[in-house]
């Protein structure tokens, strides 16, 4: 059973920073991609960031480019999301995902940015 455990969410003032972490366990396969999605109330889930295992290349949603940075530590099976310059519109539940032969999801961690 693949398990993803997120941490690092919380309440922060606009302009502040948070660092999310996600540790993955239970898979005997290496993950092709790892990343973060988010879902705000009344909105569909959207891609925030992805990182590939082949070359470490990354993709970001246009709304977070220049503010968020995704990274991974393969030895720890952990993916991180550093979020800077947070805005109220970043408020959402952030969910970690990892893909081997299918996508696996964490439970999500709440990020709330106040005005």
């Amino acid at each position: 059973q693949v398990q993803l455990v997120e941490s690092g969410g919380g309440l922060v003032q606009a302009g502040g920073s948070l660092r999310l972490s996600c540790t993955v366990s239970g898979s005997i396969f290496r993950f092709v991609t790892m990343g973060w999605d988010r879902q705000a109330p009344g909105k569909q889930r959207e891609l925030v960031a992805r990182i590939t295992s082949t070359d470490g290349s990354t993709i970001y949603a246009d709304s977070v480019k220049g503010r968020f940075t995704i990274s991974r530590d393969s030895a720890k099976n952990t993916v991180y999301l550093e979020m800077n310059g947070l805005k109220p519109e970043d408020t959402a539940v952030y969910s970690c995902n990892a893909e081997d032969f299918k996508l696996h999801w964490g439970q999500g961690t709440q990020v709330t940015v106040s005005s």
Side-chain angles (χ1 to χ4, degrees):
Q1 180 68 40
V2 175
Q3 184 176 22
L4 292 75
V5 179
E6 302 113 323
S7 63
L11 175 65
V12 66
Q13 299 292 315
S17 300
L18 286 172
R19 190 190 194 214
L20 306 183
S21 298
C22 174
T23 299
V24 186
S25 63
S27 177
I28 64 172
F29 305 103
R30 70 180 182 91
F31 296 106
V32 177
T33 65
M34 300 180 72
W36 296 88
D37 287 22
R38 68 186 181 186
Q39 187 169 22
K43 299 180 66 177
Q44 294 185 347
R45 184 167 61 194
E46 64 176 336
L47 181 152
V48 176
R50 295 282 188 276
I51 185 166
T52 64
S53 62
T54 53
D55 59 3
S57 62
T58 58
I59 58 172
Y60 296 93
D62 288 341
S63 60
V64 307
K65 287 181 179 177
R67 299 189 297 120
F68 291 10
T69 302
I70 188 170
S71 61
R72 68 189 294 177
D73 185 336
S74 296
K76 297 180 179 180
N77 291 324
T78 300
V79 62
Y80 306 93
L81 185 68
E82 181 180 339
M83 304 183 293
N84 300 308
L86 284 162
K87 306 173 181 179
E89 51 263 44
D90 294 318
T91 295
V93 174
Y94 285 71
S95 298
C96 177
N97 59 75
E99 182 181 13
D100 45 25
F101 290 102
K102 66 177 182 179
L103 277 174
H104 307 276
W105 294 92
Q107 293 295 318
T109 184
Q110 177 71 46
V111 172
T112 302
V113 185
S114 62
S115 301

